[in-house]
Amino acid sequence: MIQLQKSGLIIDADDVQRLKSEFDRNSCVLLPKLLDAELLNYLQLRLEQPLWRSRTDEGIATEDVLDDSRALSLLHFVTNSPAFVTAVCDISGCADTSLFLGRIYRFIPNSVHYDSWHDDLGDEADRRLIGMSVNLGSRNYAGGYLQLRDREAGRTIFAIANTGWGDATLFRISKHLEHRVTAVTGTQPRIAFAGWFRANREDFFSTLKRPAA
């Protein structure tokens, strides 16, 4: 098990090796129960606030994002644990990974929300290496599959429905791959903390020490 907790971190070395083999095969792995119950229960209260706003990335996606600095800061703090970042490096083979930044978003079923095929590569100043999406919804949603496809062939090579509360998916960012989240159906929204592990000169905690502008 790999689990992030308010009080620390659990990492099973055997699980890291198993996940590495799986990631090598599929370019994607599931991390069951990455967030523990204490974290999830705290976050659930934050998600119920009316602090959602619509966000559009033109031609790629439309979603709601949560404007809650407390929830986002907590998630950034735990996901940037040096031991967890090292585990992600070991699983993915991306040795220069040093920083994770993300957002809290939701897809509401039967709405204008959508996601299209894209690669998330970024540029030289923002080298995105590994994507991660952590399911924050306490109720199972329908649809909302993460799909990966071979960019040149246009063929879907992997798909997964991440519906477990606190479960996470890690997936490869590459010029050879594209990904998307399919439409959410049914009655429950898909709520996730999602973003990218980046190659950065500084880790997350070093950036906190910089003087404010």
Side-chain angles (χ1 to χ4, degrees):
M1 171 181 281
I2 300 175
Q3 187 172 76
L4 301 172
Q5 305 172 338
K6 287 183 74 173
S7 57
L9 173 67
I10 297 173
I11 295 182
D12 185 311
D14 290 339
D15 271 355
V16 171
Q17 290 305 307
R18 176 184 59 79
L19 291 166
K20 175 177 172 50
S21 297
E22 189 175 334
F23 193 88
D24 287 343
R25 290 194 308 272
N26 300 323
S27 295
C28 183
V29 292
L30 178 71
L31 306 181
K33 301 185 184 303
L34 178 65
L35 299 186
D36 77 345
E38 186 178 6
L39 281 170
L40 289 168
N41 286 326
Y42 171 80
L43 290 167
Q44 190 63 34
L45 298 175
R46 312 301 302 181
L47 297 175
E48 293 170 0
Q49 299 176 101
L51 297 176
W52 297 92
R53 63 175 175 82
S54 179
R55 174 184 176 273
T56 296
D57 193 352
E58 197 62 42
I60 296 178
T62 295
E63 62 194 21
D64 287 344
V65 293
L66 184 68
D67 281 329
D68 184 335
S69 60
R70 289 187 180 182
L72 200 57
S73 294
L74 174 61
L75 285 165
H76 280 142
F77 185 85
V78 298
T79 54
N80 281 282
S81 159
F84 179 59
V85 173
T86 297
V88 171
C89 290
D90 291 342
I91 292 167
S92 65
C94 295
D96 49 353
T97 298
S98 58
L99 175 73
F100 181 82
L101 294 176
R103 72 200 184 284
I104 299 170
Y105 83 92
R106 70 181 179 186
F107 277 177
I108 296 176
N110 307 308
S111 72
V112 298
H113 294 164
Y114 78 99
D115 189 34
S116 57
W117 291 108
H118 60 286
D119 57 34
D120 277 341
L121 279 173
D123 54 31
E124 189 58 33
D126 181 22
R127 290 178 55 215
R128 302 167 181 175
L129 305 175
I130 303 296
M132 182 172 74
S133 179
V134 186
N135 179 35
L136 301 180
S138 60
R139 298 177 180 176
N140 285 356
Y141 59 86
Y145 285 83
L146 171 65
Q147 296 179 324
L148 275 68
R149 76 174 180 182
D150 181 292
R151 183 173 197 153
E152 184 175 350
R155 175 176 55 86
T156 299
I157 60 173
F158 193 78
I160 187 170
N162 180 17
T163 58
W165 196 23
D167 291 1
T169 50
L170 293 176
F171 56 96
R172 191 188 308 279
I173 303 296
S174 165
K175 64 182 180 180
H176 304 296
L177 293 174
E178 293 180 315
H179 62 273
R180 70 174 179 180
V181 174
T182 64
V184 177
T185 58
T187 60
Q188 299 301 323
R190 185 187 201 270
I191 305 174
F193 173 55
W196 309 277
F197 286 93
R198 293 163 155 93
N200 197 292
R201 295 177 184 174
E202 296 180 299
D203 63 26
F204 176 75
F205 298 99
S206 295
T207 67
L208 297 180
K209 298 176 183 176
R210 289 194 306 228

